[in-house]
Amino acid sequence: MNNLKQLVEAFIFAADGPLSLDRLCALLEQPRGLVRPVVEELMQEYQLSARGFRLFEIAGGYQFRTLPDFAPYLRRMAKERSVKFSQAALETLAIIAYRQPVTRAEIEYLRGVDSGGIVKSLLERNLLRILGKKDVPGRPLLYGTSRQFLEFFGLRDLNDLPTLKEFAALDPELAEAEPLAPEGT
Amino acid sequence: MNNLKQLVEAFIFAADGPLSLDRLCALLEQPRGLVRPVVEELMQEYQLSARGFRLFEIAGGYQFRTLPDFAPYLRRMAKERSVKFSQAALETLAIIAYRQPVTRAEIEYLRGVDSGGIVKSLLERNLLRILGKKDVPGRPLLYGTSRQFLEFFGLRDLNDLPTLKEFAALDPELAEAEPLAPEGT
Amino acid sequence: MPIQILLENFSGPLDLLLHLIKTNEMDIYDIRIMEITEQYLSIIEQMKQLDLDVAGEFLLMAATLMHIKSRMLLPSSEEIEEEEGEDPRAELVRRLLEYQRYKEAARLFENMPQLQRDYFTGLVRAADYLELEDAADEEITVGIYQLAEAFHQVLSNRPKEVFHEVVRESLSVAQYIRRLSARLAERKRMAFHECFSPEASRIELVVTFLAMLELVKMRMINIEQMKEFSEIWLTLVVAPEQLDQLSAVEDALGYE
């Protein structure tokens, strides 16, 4: 029966939200009378041992969660999770990388939406730098990518950015796509 | 110090991927010398106790995962069926994993067939990454495996790849091109 | 003996060859090339008779095999041995061995525990209950590929009116007419593709093309092609001095 406990633990752990007793029984193909005591035993075990997380009963189901005491620390980690990008940030970064030097207006023209906030956050993440001002009325700022950008993507220099043609060549359907090379360096 | 172990456990549990020792130390604001033994103790504990999941060392970090033994049951719960690789995709992935950095032309020479579509789909699944361009005419892209590749196969690093049966290469040139210990991660 | 083989069961010609070597219990270092070539060709022939597509790679290998066979048939005088040095089969053997190795690796990969098939891990669990501001915004792990792909997307979703707008703003067709006719006056005859600079943006290409059409319409140039798909030639059909009249018509073009 030890095996059943391990299995219950594995199911609750791997579920992507609180797992109800009914669902658990269905998955295990075991009656409630057999499964419920196992879950309760598990909850007790976690309660008694000094672990970093516990088994909680939440929203009609069971779920492992870290102890509330640790929340301030864990939030620190959550904030740092920013090595990932939203689709919008990625698009903006891509436009700047391939089209630099580029103004905010040009980015917005290509994306079709306001991009000020995203440019600002990319600047804050040191992925962009300001290359100067464009010689047109209003003298808007010109953006380009930074050294950190190259480091982040593991590029030696901007010439290392793949041209779209190289990807198009992988896929016969895309072969007719525009062969746009990064402009300038 | 028991508190530190709990916190380490909570961090690893709550992280959205394998958590490296360096990152863990930075989050805890503690030196490696203090954190490493704690992680090792935790790993040992999970190894010895019959739990539903364990602490694994994967892709240069630590992560809780269920035991492969339970997979047949847990698959019942998985929402998306894991995508099965085709023979062609596995061959391509193997060539890239063992020979990286490698160009598309090299892959195709080894396989004897066009592999563009497969490379593209592996790139889309994040299992590959572009390592740069090769210093030969045409500057073709160089492919290698990604961190997600390690995560996917539960490998600590590329040295964890199974060793391939050696064969007596007929061509000294090819034998030289054999450094099977892949570079970097 | 008819061999029932479907090419699609093989990931490529090397895979098929390995299969033949194995079923014939041959030593990979000493392939009986006549036998193998014969069997290989008969399989390809069968496929063709069944009206099945045979991928080019399989045909290429057939050619390679026949080439090796012919070299094996050459009298093996010692001089040739010394000159050529290598066994004609050597490169093929090397490729087969190397391929066999990765085929084996592919099998190992298949059996290695895989995430979401053998290993499971709760995904992004902290976001569930730590009340993260951006938990809802789906984030993606990126590499250069994703970056390039994003740019590709932007370009393909680009607003349609882009041409008109930019044409009006910065590249006037009139200007390109002048440029093109000046070059023609100098050279008398130009190939179609020479009119487009390889660095030109898509917009420039479009404007150059429009300029070309305008010149044809004004009967300033002639366009000819010898046969289908061959090079198209542009010839100036007026005296160079007459090009001066161009500026007069410019305003009437309506491009501004």
Side-chain angles (χ1 to χ4, degrees):
Chain A
M1 212 54 343
N2 201 18
N3 207 346
L4 181 63
K5 196 166 84 181
Q6 275 183 282
L7 205 48
V8 166
E9 201 179 18
F11 267 121
I12 298 174
F13 171 81
D16 52 4
L19 195 61
S20 72
L21 190 61
D22 284 342
R23 183 85 205 292
L24 200 50
C25 291
L27 288 164
L28 291 161
E29 292 168 348
Q30 297 288 349
R32 288 171 72 100
L34 199 65
V35 178
R36 164 161 276 170
V38 173
V39 177
E40 271 160 14
E41 198 187 318
L42 263 177
M43 282 183 71
Q44 196 115 48
E45 264 178 43
Y46 274 91
Q47 187 103 40
L48 296 176
S49 64
R51 307 232 71 95
F53 47 90
R54 251 187 222 168
L55 188 51
F56 290 91
E57 199 176 343
I58 289 149
Y62 301 95
Q63 189 180 34
F64 285 110
R65 288 186 170 196
T66 54
L67 303 182
D69 308 352
F70 297 147
Y73 298 95
L74 294 173
R75 252 181 237 124
R76 219 192 271 171
M77 176 168 71
K79 276 208 190 97
E80 279 180 25
R81 281 196 318 151
S82 49
V83 277
K84 295 192 172 184
F85 290 88
S86 67
Q87 181 62 33
L90 186 59
E91 261 179 41
T92 308
L93 194 58
I95 291 170
I96 296 169
Y98 279 94
R99 281 277 158 102
Q100 57 191 306
V102 66
T103 66
R104 183 178 150 190
E106 287 157 359
I107 298 165
E108 292 178 347
Y109 179 74
L110 282 170
R111 293 196 55 225
V113 286
D114 180 280
S115 307
I118 292 167
V119 169
K120 188 164 171 277
S121 82
L122 290 172
L123 271 170
E124 275 164 6
R125 284 166 72 173
N126 287 323
L127 292 166
L128 302 184
R129 66 201 174 98
I130 291 158
L131 301 174
K133 291 184 177 181
K134 191 166 182 168
D135 251 340
V136 294
R139 311 245 309 131
L141 292 174
L142 284 166
Y143 297 97
T145 51
S146 65
R147 198 173 44 75
Q148 282 90 336
F149 165 85
L150 294 177
E151 275 168 25
F152 184 85
F153 286 99
L155 302 166
R156 261 176 314 176
D157 54 49
L158 286 174
N159 287 323
D160 260 5
L161 267 180
T163 58
L164 297 185
K165 202 163 70 181
E166 285 164 321
F167 288 115
L170 290 177
D171 187 347
E173 268 173 55
L174 281 176
E176 279 157 46
E178 290 172 82
L180 273 173
E183 286 165 22
T185 13
Chain B
M1 211 56 342
N2 200 20
N3 206 351
L4 180 63
K5 196 166 87 182
Q6 274 184 283
L7 205 48
V8 165
E9 201 180 19
F11 269 123
I12 297 174
F13 173 82
D16 59 356
L19 193 61
S20 73
L21 189 61
D22 284 341
R23 185 95 196 286
L24 201 49
C25 291
L27 288 163
L28 293 161
E29 292 168 350
Q30 298 286 350
R32 288 171 73 101
L34 200 66
V35 179
R36 163 161 273 172
V38 172
V39 177
E40 270 159 14
E41 199 187 317
L42 263 175
M43 282 185 73
Q44 195 115 48
E45 265 180 44
Y46 274 90
Q47 187 105 37
L48 295 175
S49 65
R51 307 233 69 96
F53 46 89
R54 248 188 223 170
L55 188 51
F56 289 91
E57 198 177 342
I58 283 156
Y62 301 94
Q63 189 180 36
F64 286 110
R65 290 186 169 191
T66 57
L67 303 180
D69 305 352
F70 299 140
Y73 301 94
L74 293 173
R75 259 178 240 143
R76 286 183 204 159
M77 185 168 64
K79 262 188 288 182
E80 305 156 32
R81 284 226 144 269
S82 62
V83 199
K84 219 173 147 354
F85 287 103
S86 66
Q87 171 69 18
L90 284 168
E91 271 176 30
T92 308
L93 200 54
I95 289 170
I96 296 170
Y98 285 96
R99 292 210 76 133
Q100 58 190 312
V102 67
T103 66
R104 179 180 162 193
E106 287 158 2
I107 298 165
E108 292 178 347
Y109 177 75
L110 288 170
R111 293 196 54 228
V113 284
D114 180 281
S115 307
I118 291 166
V119 168
K120 189 174 186 320
S121 80
L122 292 172
L123 273 167
E124 270 161 8
R125 288 176 70 177
N126 280 326
L127 294 167
L128 301 184
R129 66 199 181 100
I130 290 152
L131 300 175
K133 294 185 181 182
K134 191 165 182 168
D135 264 334
V136 294
R139 309 243 301 133
L141 293 175
L142 285 166
Y143 298 97
T145 52
S146 64
R147 195 173 47 74
Q148 283 89 339
F149 165 83
L150 296 176
E151 280 184 40
F152 187 83
F153 287 105
L155 303 168
R156 257 175 314 181
D157 53 45
L158 287 174
N159 293 321
D160 246 12
L161 279 173
T163 353
L164 294 187
K165 205 167 54 194
E166 284 299 323
F167 67 90
L170 295 178
D171 182 355
E173 209 179 299
L174 206 80
E176 259 167 56
E178 215 63 19
L180 273 191
E183 289 154 37
T185 16
Chain C
M1 37 121 217
I3 310 165
Q4 278 303 322
I5 276 179
L6 274 179
L7 289 192
E8 63 221 47
N9 292 339
F10 295 91
S11 78
L14 292 170
D15 201 13
L16 174 59
L17 271 183
L18 273 182
H19 173 80
L20 291 177
I21 290 168
K22 211 168 142 203
T23 49
N24 285 287
E25 295 177 340
M26 281 185 204
D27 176 2
I28 200 163
Y29 290 98
D30 190 19
I31 303 168
R32 297 194 295 275
I33 207 82
M34 310 285 181
E35 239 175 290
I36 286 286
T37 306
E38 205 172 287
Q39 286 183 20
Y40 187 93
L41 292 177
S42 88
I43 289 163
I44 302 281
E45 202 47 48
Q46 263 180 45
M47 294 297 129
K48 280 184 179 161
Q49 271 167 17
L50 292 170
D51 219 15
L52 296 171
D53 270 339
V54 177
E57 291 105 353
F58 284 94
L59 298 176
L60 188 67
M61 181 55 76
T64 308
L65 286 172
M66 287 192 283
H67 180 68
I68 295 173
K69 192 174 117 182
S70 68
R71 281 182 62 199
M72 299 283 288
L73 288 173
L74 285 177
S76 63
S77 87
E78 275 173 44
E79 277 165 57
I80 293 176
E81 285 279 306
E82 263 169 48
E83 243 173 66
E84 309 240 324
E86 217 179 24
D87 185 322
R89 297 170 297 182
E91 200 206 339
L92 183 66
V93 171
R94 199 160 57 230
R95 284 182 73 185
L96 282 169
L97 288 170
E98 183 80 354
Y99 173 74
Q100 192 179 39
R101 208 155 163 246
Y102 293 115
K103 191 176 144 82
E104 169 70 13
R107 210 182 48 77
L108 289 174
F109 276 24
E110 171 69 44
N111 295 328
M112 263 179 340
Q114 296 171 16
L115 198 59
Q116 302 306 112
R117 188 191 75 177
D118 306 298
Y119 286 127
F120 293 86
T121 157
L123 293 170
V124 202
R125 32 185 91 255
D128 293 351
Y129 52 89
L130 274 181
E131 291 166 30
L132 302 173
E133 316 98 60
D134 59 354
D137 187 10
E138 206 187 323
E139 297 196 320
I140 27 190
T141 317
V142 300
I144 309 170
Y145 174 71
Q146 283 71 17
L147 189 73
E149 192 59 26
F151 188 54
H152 186 202
Q153 286 305 318
V154 169
L155 288 181
S156 44
N157 301 333
R158 191 164 47 170
K160 283 281 182 287
E161 68 277 21
V162 72
F163 297 132
H164 302 290
E165 223 168 287
V166 181
V167 167
R168 222 181 295 126
E169 271 176 11
S170 57
L171 311 162
S172 87
V173 176
Q175 200 185 326
Y176 273 73
I177 291 178
R178 238 176 288 133
R179 207 182 284 180
L180 193 60
S181 53
R183 283 173 73 194
L184 273 167
E186 222 174 82
R187 312 234 337 241
K188 299 285 187 294
R189 190 166 184 256
M190 259 170 92
F192 181 79
H193 77 264
E194 288 181 270
C195 303
F196 301 94
S197 106
E199 302 88 47
S201 67
R202 194 156 154 175
I203 297 150
E204 283 176 88
L205 299 181
V206 172
V207 178
T208 309
F209 189 58
L210 285 175
M212 213 180 272
L213 293 180
E214 285 300 338
L215 283 166
V216 175
K217 215 164 77 187
M218 292 186 288
R219 298 182 199 288
M220 297 284 193
I221 61 170
N222 193 13
I223 291 186
E224 53 183 342
Q225 189 180 26
M226 295 309 172
K227 58 173 196 265
E228 228 182 329
F229 303 122
S230 70
E231 185 59 89
I232 298 170
W233 292 96
L234 280 72
T235 341
L236 198 60
V237 290
V238 293
E241 310 83 66
Q242 279 179 271
L243 283 175
D244 297 343
Q245 298 171 2
L246 267 180
S247 46
V249 256
E250 248 175 47
D251 297 344
L253 284 176
Y255 288 107
E256 296 300 303

